Amino acid sequence: MRTDTPLDSLGVLPSRDHLPATWRDVPVLDVVVPVHNEEKDLGPCVLRLRDHLTRTFPYPFRITVADNASTDRTPQVAAELAASMAELRHVRLDRKGRGRALRAVWSASDAPVLAYMDVDLSTDLNALLPLVAPLISGHSDLAIGSRLTRSSRVVRGPKRELISRAYNLILRGSLHARFSDAQCGFKAIRGDVARVLLPLVEDTGWFFDTEMLVLAERAGLRIHEVPVDWVDDPDSTVHLVRTAMDDLKGVWRVGRALAVGALPLDRLARPFGDDPRDRRLTGVPRGLARQLVGFCVVGALSTLFYLLLYSGFRTFTGPQAANALALLVSAVANTAANRRLTFGVRGRDRAVRHQAQGLVVFAIGLALTSGSLAALGAASGEPAHSTELAVLIAANLAATVLRFLLLRAWVFPDRGAAGPGPGAAHDITPADEPRNAR
C-alpha cells in the first residue's frame, strides 16, 4: 500500500497508493462498534449501520462488535446478529476499556481501513464515506469527525459543550494539539498506520483517542477532519467527571513523556514519507527560519536572566567575577533551552557532550564580555553600573551571531543532510518496534 519511489529532482514526494477499485479479497473497511451493556441499542445500531453501508459504500465492508466485558445480554444479542449477518462479527473481551477494545480489534484486523463509532450513532452516518475516503485514496493517515468546526451541526446541552471545548483548549495549550475534536466517537485510521502507531498508545480507556491523535500529529502523520452532524444521546452512560479526571491524568502523562523525550517518536516520525517537511532542497539550510526565531526568543530570555544574575552577583563581588558567574549559569540554561526549543533535540542522548560544547561557546562569550569590561575599566576607571550594563549588552549582541553559527554548525549540526540519522524518515515494521513501546 506504499509507493517507495525516492524523491526525484523535481521534489516529488513518495505516497501511499489509492486502493484499487477491484479490491475484493478482504473487506476494505472494518467498522468497530465498542459496547458495554448495550443490549437495548446494539441491534438497532447494527441494522442501521449495515443498511447505510450496503446502500452507500462502494467497497466490501465488515462490522465488528467489540464487547467490553458486558454483564447483561449484550453478548447474546451480538452472537445472534453475527449468526444472521455475513458482514458482522463479534469479539468478546474479558476486561473493560474502549481503548483496549479498539487496540485488540484494529491490531488483528486484515482490513486496510479501520474505523469506529459509538453505539448510540449520535453522529450522522452520512459523514462516514467522507471520513474514510481520504484514507482509501492514500491522502491521509487518520480521519476524525469534528463537532467543533464552524460547519458542524450539533445538538447538545451547555454542560457537555463547555466540557468538550474546555478539554480541547487544554490540549491545545498543554500538548500543542492542532486537531479540533479529540473525543468525538467517530474516527478512522489506515491499517498500515495502525500497526505502527498503536503499540505506542498506552491508554486503554477514553483517553485512547486523544493519545493516538497527539502521537500521530507529533510524528508528522496527516489527520483529516470531517465536520459532522451530531445529536447528544440523553441516555449516555459516560461518567463525565471520572472521564474528565482520567483524561487530565493522560494529558499530564503524555505531556511529561514528550517533554523528556521518553517516547520513541524518532522511530515513528513520518514513516510513510509523505510529509512536506521531508522535502530536500539542495543548498537551502533546513529549518533555518524556525531556528532563528527560536534562537532569538531563547536569547532574549537568556539575556534577561543573565542581567538579573549579574546584578545580583554584583552586590557582593567585583564586575569580572559577577560577569563570569552570571554567564556560566545562564550559559547552561541557554544551551539546554536551545537544545530543546531551537534545534529540536530531545532525550538525554549526547546531552553532556552538548553542554560541554556549549561551555566552549560560553568561553568565547566570556572572553568578549570580559574584554569589554576590562576595556571599559581602563578607559573610565570607576564606570557607573548603568554604563557596565550597556557595555555588556553591546558585547552580548556582538557575540550572538557567532554563538548561533557555532550552535548550528558544531553543537547541534543537521545530521540529516549527511544521511539517515536518529530522526530520519524510514520504514518501520512490527518487528522493528521499540521494546519500551509495549
Side-chain angles (χ1 to χ4, degrees):
M1 296 176 62
R2 179 183 174 209
T3 302
D4 287 315
T5 306
L7 303 183
D8 59 23
S9 58
L10 297 178
V12 178
L13 293 165
S15 63
R16 288 173 295 291
D17 291 333
H18 192 301
L19 292 179
T22 56
W23 186 292
R24 290 292 183 271
D25 296 336
V26 297
V28 169
L29 174 65
D30 192 349
V31 182
V32 182
V33 182
V35 293
H36 175 72
N37 292 344
E38 297 286 356
E39 60 180 2
K40 177 182 176 181
D41 294 334
L42 180 56
C45 164
V46 168
L47 292 173
R48 180 181 165 195
L49 177 58
R50 185 189 67 163
D51 177 67
H52 179 84
L53 288 170
T54 301
R55 289 186 295 104
T56 64
F57 193 67
Y59 291 97
F61 63 87
R62 176 194 300 135
I63 301 172
T64 301
V65 176
D67 176 21
N68 294 272
S70 294
T71 56
D72 63 357
R73 292 193 66 257
T74 297
Q76 290 81 2
V77 174
E80 293 170 2
L81 290 169
S84 63
M85 300 181 188
E87 306 93 344
L88 181 70
R89 68 167 177 163
H90 170 222
V91 176
R92 167 76 174 177
L93 288 90
D94 297 330
R95 301 170 63 190
K96 288 179 60 177
R98 183 178 71 174
R100 179 180 288 108
L102 292 176
R103 187 203 315 277
V105 176
W106 280 355
S107 298
S109 180
D110 56 354
V113 178
L114 311 168
Y116 96 88
M117 61 183 60
D118 293 335
V119 69
D120 57 18
L121 295 185
S122 295
T123 305
D124 182 19
L125 291 178
N126 285 328
L128 182 56
L129 187 55
L131 183 81
V132 302
L135 310 186
I136 293 174
S137 70
H139 174 271
S140 300
D141 302 294
L142 298 91
I144 64 174
S146 176
R147 301 161 296 184
L148 302 180
T149 63
R150 290 185 177 181
S151 54
S152 300
R153 297 186 294 183
V154 176
V155 178
R156 63 175 167 181
K159 181 179 178 180
R160 285 180 175 269
E161 180 76 11
L162 177 63
I163 292 176
S164 180
R165 292 190 178 275
Y167 180 64
N168 283 281
L169 283 176
I170 291 173
L171 293 181
R172 289 175 178 270
S174 60
L175 299 180
H176 306 290
R178 295 190 297 272
F179 46 85
S180 66
D181 192 350
Q183 290 290 30
C184 181
F186 197 72
K187 295 182 175 67
I189 185 172
R190 285 180 63 104
D192 51 356
V193 175
R195 284 187 287 274
V196 177
L197 180 59
L198 294 184
L200 300 181
V201 182
E202 294 184 16
D203 191 80
T204 59
W206 294 98
F207 187 70
F208 174 89
D209 302 49
T210 301
E211 185 171 358
M212 177 181 69
L213 291 174
V214 169
L215 297 185
E217 193 172 72
R218 289 299 185 98
L221 302 179
R222 178 175 288 163
I223 301 174
H224 177 72
E225 295 198 18
V226 178
V228 299
D229 298 342
W230 194 86
V231 179
D232 189 14
D233 178 13
D235 298 324
S236 175
T237 58
V238 177
H239 193 290
L240 292 180
V241 176
R242 183 170 62 243
T243 301
M245 293 303 298
D246 291 341
D247 286 344
L248 291 177
K249 292 177 183 177
V251 170
W252 168 256
R253 174 177 56 80
V254 173
R256 182 177 58 182
L258 291 172
V260 302
L263 291 170
L265 291 182
D266 57 337
R267 302 283 310 278
L268 178 63
R270 296 178 292 279
F272 303 100
D274 64 346
D275 192 293
R277 287 172 289 182
D278 285 334
R279 189 186 298 268
R280 298 288 186 266
L281 298 177
T282 59
V284 178
R286 293 189 294 123
L288 178 60
R290 182 191 61 78
Q291 290 177 356
L292 280 172
V293 172
F295 179 78
C296 290
V297 172
V298 172
L301 295 175
S302 297
T303 300
L304 178 60
F305 183 48
Y306 159 77
L307 293 174
L308 292 174
L309 289 174
Y310 177 82
S311 298
F313 292 143
R314 188 65 177 86
T315 60
F316 58 85
T317 187
Q320 293 289 359
N323 175 62
L325 289 172
L327 200 55
L328 176 61
V329 175
S330 61
V332 173
N334 181 277
T335 300
N338 275 310
R339 183 178 189 269
R340 174 67 175 84
L341 301 176
T342 304
F343 299 99
V345 180
R346 297 173 175 83
R348 299 183 178 88
D349 185 40
R350 302 166 64 92
V352 175
R353 176 176 176 178
H354 291 156
Q355 282 292 350
Q357 292 172 308
L359 289 178
V360 174
V361 178
F362 148 76
I364 296 174
L366 178 62
L368 288 173
T369 53
S370 296
S372 300
L373 283 176
L376 176 63
S380 304
E382 293 292 335
H385 181 63
S386 59
T387 305
E388 289 181 350
L389 290 180
V391 170
L392 288 174
I393 291 173
N396 272 284
L397 289 175
T400 296
V401 175
L402 179 60
R403 185 183 304 122
F404 176 75
L405 294 175
L406 287 174
L407 288 176
R408 193 173 198 274
W410 180 49
V411 183
F412 307 109
D414 181 8
R415 301 183 184 277
H426 57 279
D427 290 332
I428 304 175
T429 62
D432 295 327
E433 295 165 6
R435 295 180 181 178
N436 63 346
R438 295 187 180 275

